[in-house]
Amino acid sequence: MSGSATSEITLAYIGGGSLNWAQVLMADLVHDGTVSGEIRLYDLDEEAARRNAALGERLSRAHGRNLRYKAVPKLAEALTGADFVVVSILPGSFEDMAQDLGLPEGEGVRQSVGDTVGPGGFLRAMRAIPQMAAIGEAIRAHAPQAYVCNLTNPMSVLTGALHAAYPGIRAWGECHEVTKLRHILAWLANRKAGEIRYDFRDVQANVLGVNHFTFVDRAFVGGEDMLPAYLAFAAEHRAKGWRPAPLDPENEVQRYFEDVNRVKFDLAARFGIAAAAGDRHLAEFLPASWYLGDNEGWGFGLTPVSWRRKDRDARRAAAREAQQTNEAPPLRAASEEALVAQIRALTRGETLVVNANLPNRGQLEGFAPGTIVETNALFSGLGVQAVAAGRLPPAVEALVKPHADRQNAVLAAVLAEDAPTLEGLFLSDPLNAPLGPDRAAGLFRAMAAATAERLPPALRRYG
């Protein structure tokens, strides 16, 4: 690595056959233009990694970038000598995810995402923690000084698995959900200014919480505290929600992934603090009677696995077409992900303050040491350093902390292959608890049996 005009890096991408995140990174590197080097793509699906390597090469050449893409068949080969490692894997398959959503729905438990908490997030964690721990061990063996960015959900427990496997790892979890609140704050600042002067990157927000259940208690735009204006705006639009343009019911991406901010506004009005993540994520951390029981009334959708499959198939078809034409694929618009900016800061001595998921070293008061929490972090030539965030209000901490403690316990129980403890933890999740202990235990056993072949041997007892 160097501090010259272009940073030369070696980056290992685990899950490099991804039809989404890997290709997002390819486009963002082209748009940024300050990073060059070798991008090694490793995937259990070697053909998918080779396809992406060819697409990346053509994209790089078409736009005059010195980015060299290479599909590698072995994880050790991808990692050896890497400066950066990106982890973006699908724990299991969409067929497994269909079980994660379908079996709970049969018991009346609805989920809007199913990848972080609730029954779906729980089983996904059980499948993915051993995989992520193995990746952490491989990083310790082959790239111990690399910076490691985890993009995989459930982010808290999987980032924790990396640190549990290799306590010296330089790893964080990167998530874009807080950006949704930043957009609203920038919009409010522009409305006050009477012109478009700011975008979400100009918002300084103090972030507190755990991934997908984050809050902001201070927010500045252009040197002005915008949190009072936000809280007033949330109260004004609490009853019906608000977004800059109405949701298009014919647009499936909007229907399944966007919202009218009504959950955020309701939480702000109740607790005097801004909830930061998207509504469909926030709702899953709370009892179903709050929001999920009437998701349409609250203005957010339930993302079906059928749509995910359809989107995957469309992306595969587009990738095959680009591969057959041997032409550069169309350049995607730059994303709002922070990863390339984080790489630039770490390699060029720039400074970047942005939310990140890191082990708690006191940056979030009231949470156990080592818990993976989401607060701001400073990225610079000196590394990644958590920024002190303070403490959540007591009423909000009472909602967030049990999830953090449960995630710690789930991580420990999966690594210990302790099935009885996992069953007990499953019962205490707010979406599962209303079933009562017998029905919730039955659901846990049915879900574990449904994807037993993807679980460690000692956790297949129900299969």
Side-chain angles (χ1 to χ4, degrees):
M1 294 182 291
S2 70
S4 60
T6 300
S7 300
E8 176 78 16
I9 68 167
T10 299
L11 184 148
Y13 198 116
I14 302 174
S18 162
L19 291 159
N20 185 23
W21 294 115
Q23 295 185 15
V24 167
L25 176 61
M26 291 175 183
D28 284 354
L29 287 169
V30 168
H31 283 291
D32 179 78
T34 69
V35 177
S36 65
E38 183 172 87
I39 313 297
R40 301 171 183 167
L41 304 179
Y42 168 77
D43 202 291
L44 296 177
D45 183 346
E46 291 184 38
E47 183 180 350
R50 289 193 294 270
R51 176 205 63 216
N52 272 359
L55 293 175
E57 281 287 311
R58 292 201 292 272
L59 195 65
S60 177
R61 287 196 302 268
H63 297 278
R65 302 293 187 240
N66 184 20
L67 294 161
R68 305 175 298 281
Y69 288 87
K70 176 183 178 183
V72 294
K74 301 293 184 182
L75 179 58
E77 181 183 352
L79 292 173
T80 300
D83 303 306
F84 289 87
V85 179
V86 177
V87 187
S88 172
I89 63 174
L90 176 63
S93 66
F94 286 150
E95 287 64 39
D96 298 324
M97 199 170 188
Q99 299 283 2
D100 292 346
L101 298 180
L103 289 171
E105 188 175 11
E107 293 291 338
V109 180
R110 309 172 83 217
Q111 298 172 92
S112 42
V113 188
D115 72 354
T116 300
V117 291
F122 199 100
L123 266 294
R124 186 179 173 106
M126 287 175 59
R127 293 193 296 269
I129 286 170
Q131 298 177 47
M132 197 63 74
I135 290 169
E137 291 168 357
I139 291 169
R140 176 173 57 185
H142 301 289
Q145 295 304 310
Y147 287 110
V148 182
C149 178
N150 172 41
L151 300 174
T152 311
N153 291 327
M155 183 165 288
S156 297
V157 292
L158 297 189
T159 304
L162 290 171
H163 283 271
Y166 173 24
I169 199 168
R170 301 203 287 185
W172 71 94
E174 194 266 311
C175 178
H176 56 226
E177 285 294 313
V178 174
T179 300
K180 297 176 180 180
L181 176 65
R182 287 193 167 101
H183 275 293
I184 301 174
L185 290 163
W187 185 90
L188 289 170
N190 288 331
R191 185 180 69 167
K192 183 169 186 179
E195 61 180 352
I196 298 177
R197 189 180 297 175
Y198 308 104
D199 73 7
F200 74 93
R201 296 175 184 84
D202 298 310
V203 177
Q204 296 178 325
N206 187 54
V207 180
L208 315 90
V210 297
N211 184 240
H212 291 158
F213 202 25
T214 42
F215 294 81
V216 166
D217 65 354
R218 300 190 302 280
F220 288 82
V221 186
E224 183 171 352
D225 183 1
M226 292 302 298
L227 191 65
Y230 174 82
L231 294 176
F233 188 77
E236 178 186 354
H237 295 278
R238 180 183 185 185
K240 295 183 179 180
W242 170 91
R243 52 181 283 120
L247 286 171
D248 178 0
E250 301 302 317
N251 184 320
E252 288 187 318
V253 173
Q254 289 190 12
R255 192 191 323 164
Y256 296 138
F257 290 90
E258 299 184 21
D259 56 67
V260 298
N261 298 298
R262 193 177 170 210
V263 172
K264 276 191 284 298
F265 293 167
D266 188 65
L267 290 171
R270 292 183 185 282
F271 297 107
I273 189 172
D279 286 10
R280 55 199 274 279
H281 279 298
L282 292 168
E284 290 192 320
F285 286 82
L286 298 159
S289 58
W290 286 37
Y291 306 115
L292 268 171
D294 181 22
N295 67 287
E296 291 185 359
W298 286 96
F300 66 93
L302 311 181
T303 308
V305 176
S306 59
W307 184 89
R308 295 183 188 275
R309 289 192 183 111
K310 184 171 74 171
D311 178 66
R312 174 198 61 193
D313 293 343
R315 291 179 187 273
R316 279 179 178 169
R320 281 195 299 267
E321 182 178 354
Q323 197 169 21
Q324 290 167 359
T325 61
N326 202 31
E327 296 178 356
L331 180 62
R332 298 182 182 205
S335 79
E336 296 179 350
E337 301 298 324
L339 177 55
V340 173
Q342 291 166 342
I343 292 172
R344 197 171 59 236
L346 290 166
T347 58
R348 294 164 59 83
E350 300 175 8
T351 57
L352 171 71
V353 175
V354 68
N355 53 295
N357 292 267
L358 289 163
N360 192 25
R361 300 287 183 258
Q363 67 265 33
L364 185 59
E365 298 172 19
F367 285 66
T371 301
I372 302 299
V373 297
E374 187 162 347
T375 66
N376 284 335
L378 171 65
F379 291 76
S380 73
L382 301 179
V384 185
Q385 300 164 308
V387 175
R391 188 163 191 167
L392 287 163
V396 178
E397 184 178 292
L399 296 173
V400 179
K401 190 172 182 294
H403 284 287
D405 292 341
R406 187 180 302 106
Q407 289 168 341
N408 288 339
V410 167
L411 173 58
V414 172
L415 292 176
E417 298 190 6
D418 182 354
T421 293
L422 287 166
E423 181 175 317
L425 291 166
F426 185 89
L427 307 188
S428 68
D429 185 280
L431 295 185
N432 302 328
L435 295 176
D438 291 337
R439 286 178 64 202
L443 175 60
F444 173 75
R445 295 177 184 188
M447 293 180 72
T451 59
E453 71 280 3
R454 300 196 189 274
L455 298 176
L459 300 182
R460 297 175 187 170
R461 56 176 288 185
Y462 304 118

